[in-house]
Amino acid sequence: MSDQNIFLNHFSYTKWIITLLLGFSAGVLDVSFFYIIMGIVMWILYRCWKPSTEPSAIKCQDKAKEQAKVPHKVTDREFERLRYLQVLVNNSWPYITKYLEKFLRWRIQPLIRSRFKYLTNFHFFDIDFGNKAPQVTHMRVQSDPEKKQILLDLKISLNAAVMVNVGISKTIMAGVKSVKLEGTLRIILAPLIPDVPFTEAVNIYFPRRPVLHLQWTGLTNLLNIPGLHTMTERMIVDQIANFMVAPKFFTQPLAANFDMKNLPFADPWNALRIHVLEARNLVANDFFSKKSDPFVVVRGGGTVGKTRVISKNLNPQWNQTFEILFSDLPGQEIEFEVLDKNVQRDDSLGSCKIAVPHVLKKKFIDKWIRLDNVKSGELHIKVETLKLFSDRDKLQKVLNLNKRPRPPKSEELSSVALYTVIQKARGLPVIRPKKCKLNPLATVEVSVTDTVKRTGAQINSGEPEWKERLQFLIRTHAARECN
Ligand SMILES: *[C@@H]1O[C@H](CO)[C@@H](O)[C@H](O)[C@H]1NC(C)=O
Ligand SMILES: *[C@@H]1O[C@H](CO)[C@@H](O)[C@H](O)[C@H]1NC(C)=O
């Protein structure tokens, strides 16, 4: 029996309640709002485990059986409506906003400074999220004892007046007056441990893109900045929304000895080869020619790929291949959107999705998928799950396999997945920005053949530490050198 099962079995009624109260008072005393989340989870778990006559709750069986068998899922029920949750959220909102403020100043501000050349003095001036808490109406709890994690899904909606002002050096340039946010937030408690605080870390993200609307003041000032002038309001909001969506997640360690590599979903160990083959019966978008100029956008694993445009064809054949690495972060999808190429704005010809766990389970998928949000149209897709091997003998086999003749115009396939960890640097020169007291920052740019990835920004004290994990897929021609 694993440690975690022991901890779940031995937890008694009283202990749940005490944990809840402890969690709650810790929050009120401004220790950390994560303890409040912990408190909620403990309470829910207690509810699911207590002996009960409710048909939906898991009944306690006799002692021996109970020892032998811990239910795999805490609850399979769909989202349930919970009123007490809103009370908790209302009460913890002041602490959550304090946390968000720190998060923007200490995590987001340096990130923006390091990413945009013209924003090295980017600054959050005011951050006030108001006192209206988001509505958290529905919740679902799932546990995965095998992976030692508990999933908590919260349906949240926020529609509030806020005051967030940003600028450069000492000048306020733009601000956000109100925020509308709607989506399902997932909190993963992992890895679980049989000791306080019961989980080494709290991980937060949106499995799907939330709906986000911002009301701006002075946005044109911001968009006039050289590095930003090619952006639109839509693109800025997209960037903000994408920042919170899988495969990105935010981790708050709770245990002192937490290490990122203990998370079951820290690294993307699943490689998928996605073939976008063809489509049929697409709708005609051009009124005069009764045709469309279709292409497909493939999104997944934090990457975006595009096929070529095939003009004036409602049954196009692309035969193109995309390779993407996926982590085991629950709830990920591969999204396909068929678009009609236009001079001004590309119009949608429908979209469809495949769940990544479904592909991983089946290993291989070859099917026509009906496109959503459109009158007619189907997309033919093939997805293969690639196995990653760590022994060198297999590489030559793969290289030979990938060298086999392929149809013209098709992309080269990958043969090697490279995993890097950027730990720290030593003896870096510290270049202080002139005329301001801001800390100098350092990022690492790693380029492997034609792919470039960057770490986040860390304060450069001469020995900055990133501890970031970056992964690359390497195509066959470049992989020969790895042998
Ligand atoms: C939570 O706060 C909102 C206002 O911010 C209020 O309308 C709502 O009734 C409160 N809900 C509960 C359950 O306390
Ligand atoms: C796409 O692949 C199919 C099957 O291999 C082939 O018959 C077809 O000619 C290819 N089409 C293009 C445009 O390459």
Side-chain angles (χ1 to χ4, degrees), residues 437-456:
K437 295 191 196 89
L438 302 170
N439 285 313
L441 300 166
T443 59
V444 182
E445 200 176 276
V446 184
S447 53
V448 177
T449 62
D450 48 359
T451 316
V452 181
K453 295 193 177 187
R454 307 173 71 162
T455 64

PDB file of all heavy atoms in Angstrom, residues 437-456:
ATOM      1  N   LYS A 437      16.695  52.441 -10.333  1.00  0.00           N
ATOM      2  CA  LYS A 437      17.147  51.539  -9.277  1.00  0.00           C
ATOM      3  C   LYS A 437      16.716  50.100  -9.529  1.00  0.00           C
ATOM      4  O   LYS A 437      16.780  49.267  -8.643  1.00  0.00           O
ATOM      5  CB  LYS A 437      16.569  52.010  -7.946  1.00  0.00           C
ATOM      6  CG  LYS A 437      17.094  53.362  -7.509  1.00  0.00           C
ATOM      7  CD  LYS A 437      16.690  53.617  -6.064  1.00  0.00           C
ATOM      8  CE  LYS A 437      16.834  55.077  -5.712  1.00  0.00           C
ATOM      9  NZ  LYS A 437      15.598  55.834  -6.019  1.00  0.00           N
ATOM     10  N   LEU A 438      16.265  49.834 -10.752  1.00  0.00           N
ATOM     11  CA  LEU A 438      15.739  48.493 -11.009  1.00  0.00           C
ATOM     12  C   LEU A 438      16.857  47.467 -11.050  1.00  0.00           C
ATOM     13  O   LEU A 438      17.986  47.774 -11.394  1.00  0.00           O
ATOM     14  CB  LEU A 438      14.993  48.484 -12.342  1.00  0.00           C
ATOM     15  CG  LEU A 438      13.849  49.480 -12.393  1.00  0.00           C
ATOM     16  CD1 LEU A 438      13.316  49.601 -13.792  1.00  0.00           C
ATOM     17  CD2 LEU A 438      12.752  49.057 -11.431  1.00  0.00           C
ATOM     18  N   ASN A 439      16.499  46.254 -10.699  1.00  0.00           N
ATOM     19  CA  ASN A 439      17.478  45.178 -10.722  1.00  0.00           C
ATOM     20  C   ASN A 439      17.757  44.732 -12.152  1.00  0.00           C
ATOM     21  O   ASN A 439      16.852  44.633 -12.956  1.00  0.00           O
ATOM     22  CB  ASN A 439      16.949  43.978  -9.949  1.00  0.00           C
ATOM     23  CG  ASN A 439      17.015  44.214  -8.468  1.00  0.00           C
ATOM     24  OD1 ASN A 439      18.032  44.667  -7.950  1.00  0.00           O
ATOM     25  ND2 ASN A 439      15.924  43.942  -7.793  1.00  0.00           N
ATOM     26  N   PRO A 440      19.028  44.466 -12.468  1.00  0.00           N
ATOM     27  CA  PRO A 440      19.326  43.933 -13.796  1.00  0.00           C
ATOM     28  C   PRO A 440      18.834  42.490 -13.895  1.00  0.00           C
ATOM     29  O   PRO A 440      18.830  41.765 -12.907  1.00  0.00           O
ATOM     30  CB  PRO A 440      20.848  43.987 -13.874  1.00  0.00           C
ATOM     31  CG  PRO A 440      21.302  43.993 -12.459  1.00  0.00           C
ATOM     32  CD  PRO A 440      20.222  44.612 -11.640  1.00  0.00           C
ATOM     33  N   LEU A 441      18.406  42.109 -15.100  1.00  0.00           N
ATOM     34  CA  LEU A 441      17.820  40.784 -15.289  1.00  0.00           C
ATOM     35  C   LEU A 441      18.633  39.982 -16.297  1.00  0.00           C
ATOM     36  O   LEU A 441      19.339  40.541 -17.119  1.00  0.00           O
ATOM     37  CB  LEU A 441      16.386  40.922 -15.812  1.00  0.00           C
ATOM     38  CG  LEU A 441      15.433  41.676 -14.910  1.00  0.00           C
ATOM     39  CD1 LEU A 441      14.176  42.036 -15.665  1.00  0.00           C
ATOM     40  CD2 LEU A 441      15.094  40.850 -13.694  1.00  0.00           C
ATOM     41  N   ALA A 442      18.501  38.679 -16.210  1.00  0.00           N
ATOM     42  CA  ALA A 442      19.199  37.822 -17.174  1.00  0.00           C
ATOM     43  C   ALA A 442      18.277  36.702 -17.633  1.00  0.00           C
ATOM     44  O   ALA A 442      17.535  36.128 -16.842  1.00  0.00           O
ATOM     45  CB  ALA A 442      20.456  37.233 -16.533  1.00  0.00           C
ATOM     46  N   THR A 443      18.297  36.412 -18.944  1.00  0.00           N
ATOM     47  CA  THR A 443      17.567  35.251 -19.470  1.00  0.00           C
ATOM     48  C   THR A 443      18.549  34.422 -20.284  1.00  0.00           C
ATOM     49  O   THR A 443      19.595  34.911 -20.680  1.00  0.00           O
ATOM     50  CB  THR A 443      16.418  35.648 -20.419  1.00  0.00           C
ATOM     51  OG1 THR A 443      16.987  36.381 -21.499  1.00  0.00           O
ATOM     52  CG2 THR A 443      15.370  36.472 -19.741  1.00  0.00           C
ATOM     53  N   VAL A 444      18.188  33.186 -20.515  1.00  0.00           N
ATOM     54  CA  VAL A 444      19.030  32.326 -21.351  1.00  0.00           C
ATOM     55  C   VAL A 444      18.243  31.978 -22.606  1.00  0.00           C
ATOM     56  O   VAL A 444      17.065  31.626 -22.528  1.00  0.00           O
ATOM     57  CB  VAL A 444      19.408  31.020 -20.623  1.00  0.00           C
ATOM     58  CG1 VAL A 444      20.318  30.169 -21.492  1.00  0.00           C
ATOM     59  CG2 VAL A 444      20.065  31.330 -19.303  1.00  0.00           C
ATOM     60  N   GLU A 445      18.899  32.133 -23.761  1.00  0.00           N
ATOM     61  CA  GLU A 445      18.267  31.760 -25.019  1.00  0.00           C
ATOM     62  C   GLU A 445      18.960  30.501 -25.511  1.00  0.00           C
ATOM     63  O   GLU A 445      20.179  30.477 -25.627  1.00  0.00           O
ATOM     64  CB  GLU A 445      18.466  32.904 -26.010  1.00  0.00           C
ATOM     65  CG  GLU A 445      17.505  32.874 -27.151  1.00  0.00           C
ATOM     66  CD  GLU A 445      17.693  34.100 -28.033  1.00  0.00           C
ATOM     67  OE1 GLU A 445      17.113  35.158 -27.707  1.00  0.00           O
ATOM     68  OE2 GLU A 445      18.430  33.996 -29.019  1.00  0.00           O
ATOM     69  N   VAL A 446      18.194  29.460 -25.750  1.00  0.00           N
ATOM     70  CA  VAL A 446      18.789  28.202 -26.214  1.00  0.00           C
ATOM     71  C   VAL A 446      18.305  27.960 -27.631  1.00  0.00           C
ATOM     72  O   VAL A 446      17.094  27.930 -27.876  1.00  0.00           O
ATOM     73  CB  VAL A 446      18.342  27.019 -25.323  1.00  0.00           C
ATOM     74  CG1 VAL A 446      19.037  25.738 -25.752  1.00  0.00           C
ATOM     75  CG2 VAL A 446      18.624  27.318 -23.860  1.00  0.00           C
ATOM     76  N   SER A 447      19.217  27.825 -28.592  1.00  0.00           N
ATOM     77  CA  SER A 447      18.752  27.495 -29.935  1.00  0.00           C
ATOM     78  C   SER A 447      19.346  26.165 -30.365  1.00  0.00           C
ATOM     79  O   SER A 447      20.538  25.912 -30.222  1.00  0.00           O
ATOM     80  CB  SER A 447      19.087  28.607 -30.928  1.00  0.00           C
ATOM     81  OG  SER A 447      20.433  28.906 -30.874  1.00  0.00           O
ATOM     82  N   VAL A 448      18.452  25.293 -30.815  1.00  0.00           N
ATOM     83  CA  VAL A 448      18.858  23.983 -31.298  1.00  0.00           C
ATOM     84  C   VAL A 448      18.370  23.912 -32.736  1.00  0.00           C
ATOM     85  O   VAL A 448      17.166  23.979 -32.982  1.00  0.00           O
ATOM     86  CB  VAL A 448      18.229  22.864 -30.458  1.00  0.00           C
ATOM     87  CG1 VAL A 448      18.605  21.509 -31.002  1.00  0.00           C
ATOM     88  CG2 VAL A 448      18.650  22.986 -29.007  1.00  0.00           C
ATOM     89  N   THR A 449      19.278  23.807 -33.673  1.00  0.00           N
ATOM     90  CA  THR A 449      19.000  23.938 -35.112  1.00  0.00           C
ATOM     91  C   THR A 449      18.082  25.139 -35.357  1.00  0.00           C
ATOM     92  O   THR A 449      18.481  26.253 -35.084  1.00  0.00           O
ATOM     93  CB  THR A 449      18.458  22.626 -35.737  1.00  0.00           C
ATOM     94  OG1 THR A 449      17.238  22.284 -35.123  1.00  0.00           O
ATOM     95  CG2 THR A 449      19.459  21.513 -35.575  1.00  0.00           C
ATOM     96  N   ASP A 450      16.824  24.940 -35.785  1.00  0.00           N
ATOM     97  CA  ASP A 450      16.024  26.123 -36.133  1.00  0.00           C
ATOM     98  C   ASP A 450      15.026  26.525 -35.043  1.00  0.00           C
ATOM     99  O   ASP A 450      14.189  27.384 -35.239  1.00  0.00           O
ATOM    100  CB  ASP A 450      15.293  25.896 -37.470  1.00  0.00           C
ATOM    101  CG  ASP A 450      14.597  24.544 -37.493  1.00  0.00           C
ATOM    102  OD1 ASP A 450      14.712  23.796 -36.490  1.00  0.00           O
ATOM    103  OD2 ASP A 450      13.962  24.220 -38.501  1.00  0.00           O
ATOM    104  N   THR A 451      15.101  25.905 -33.872  1.00  0.00           N
ATOM    105  CA  THR A 451      14.165  26.234 -32.799  1.00  0.00           C
ATOM    106  C   THR A 451      14.872  27.057 -31.724  1.00  0.00           C
ATOM    107  O   THR A 451      15.967  26.697 -31.294  1.00  0.00           O
ATOM    108  CB  THR A 451      13.621  24.954 -32.144  1.00  0.00           C
ATOM    109  OG1 THR A 451      13.303  24.037 -33.181  1.00  0.00           O
ATOM    110  CG2 THR A 451      12.397  25.237 -31.312  1.00  0.00           C
ATOM    111  N   VAL A 452      14.228  28.146 -31.304  1.00  0.00           N
ATOM    112  CA  VAL A 452      14.799  28.973 -30.252  1.00  0.00           C
ATOM    113  C   VAL A 452      13.831  29.007 -29.080  1.00  0.00           C
ATOM    114  O   VAL A 452      12.646  29.248 -29.259  1.00  0.00           O
ATOM    115  CB  VAL A 452      15.050  30.419 -30.753  1.00  0.00           C
ATOM    116  CG1 VAL A 452      15.661  31.264 -29.648  1.00  0.00           C
ATOM    117  CG2 VAL A 452      15.945  30.405 -31.971  1.00  0.00           C
ATOM    118  N   LYS A 453      14.317  28.735 -27.873  1.00  0.00           N
ATOM    119  CA  LYS A 453      13.480  28.847 -26.680  1.00  0.00           C
ATOM    120  C   LYS A 453      14.216  29.667 -25.640  1.00  0.00           C
ATOM    121  O   LYS A 453      15.436  29.695 -25.630  1.00  0.00           O
ATOM    122  CB  LYS A 453      13.154  27.462 -26.126  1.00  0.00           C
ATOM    123  CG  LYS A 453      12.297  26.651 -27.073  1.00  0.00           C
ATOM    124  CD  LYS A 453      11.715  25.442 -26.416  1.00  0.00           C
ATOM    125  CE  LYS A 453      10.815  24.733 -27.420  1.00  0.00           C
ATOM    126  NZ  LYS A 453      10.073  23.639 -26.830  1.00  0.00           N
ATOM    127  N   ARG A 454      13.430  30.336 -24.787  1.00  0.00           N
ATOM    128  CA  ARG A 454      14.054  31.189 -23.771  1.00  0.00           C
ATOM    129  C   ARG A 454      13.544  30.841 -22.391  1.00  0.00           C
ATOM    130  O   ARG A 454      12.402  30.434 -22.222  1.00  0.00           O
ATOM    131  CB  ARG A 454      13.725  32.656 -24.054  1.00  0.00           C
ATOM    132  CG  ARG A 454      14.047  33.083 -25.441  1.00  0.00           C
ATOM    133  CD  ARG A 454      13.537  34.465 -25.659  1.00  0.00           C
ATOM    134  NE  ARG A 454      14.349  35.418 -24.912  1.00  0.00           N
ATOM    135  CZ  ARG A 454      14.355  36.713 -25.185  1.00  0.00           C
ATOM    136  NH1 ARG A 454      13.585  37.194 -26.116  1.00  0.00           N
ATOM    137  NH2 ARG A 454      15.111  37.527 -24.503  1.00  0.00           N
ATOM    138  N   THR A 455      14.406  31.046 -21.425  1.00  0.00           N
ATOM    139  CA  THR A 455      13.969  30.894 -20.041  1.00  0.00           C
ATOM    140  C   THR A 455      13.291  32.192 -19.612  1.00  0.00           C
ATOM    141  O   THR A 455      13.341  33.187 -20.326  1.00  0.00           O
ATOM    142  CB  THR A 455      15.163  30.666 -19.103  1.00  0.00           C
ATOM    143  OG1 THR A 455      15.967  31.848 -19.134  1.00  0.00           O
ATOM    144  CG2 THR A 455      15.987  29.481 -19.536  1.00  0.00           C
ATOM    145  N   GLY A 456      12.697  32.205 -18.451  1.00  0.00           N
ATOM    146  CA  GLY A 456      12.174  33.438 -17.879  1.00  0.00           C
ATOM    147  C   GLY A 456      13.329  34.302 -17.401  1.00  0.00           C
ATOM    148  O   GLY A 456      14.489  33.917 -17.488  1.00  0.00           O
TER     149      GLY A 456
END
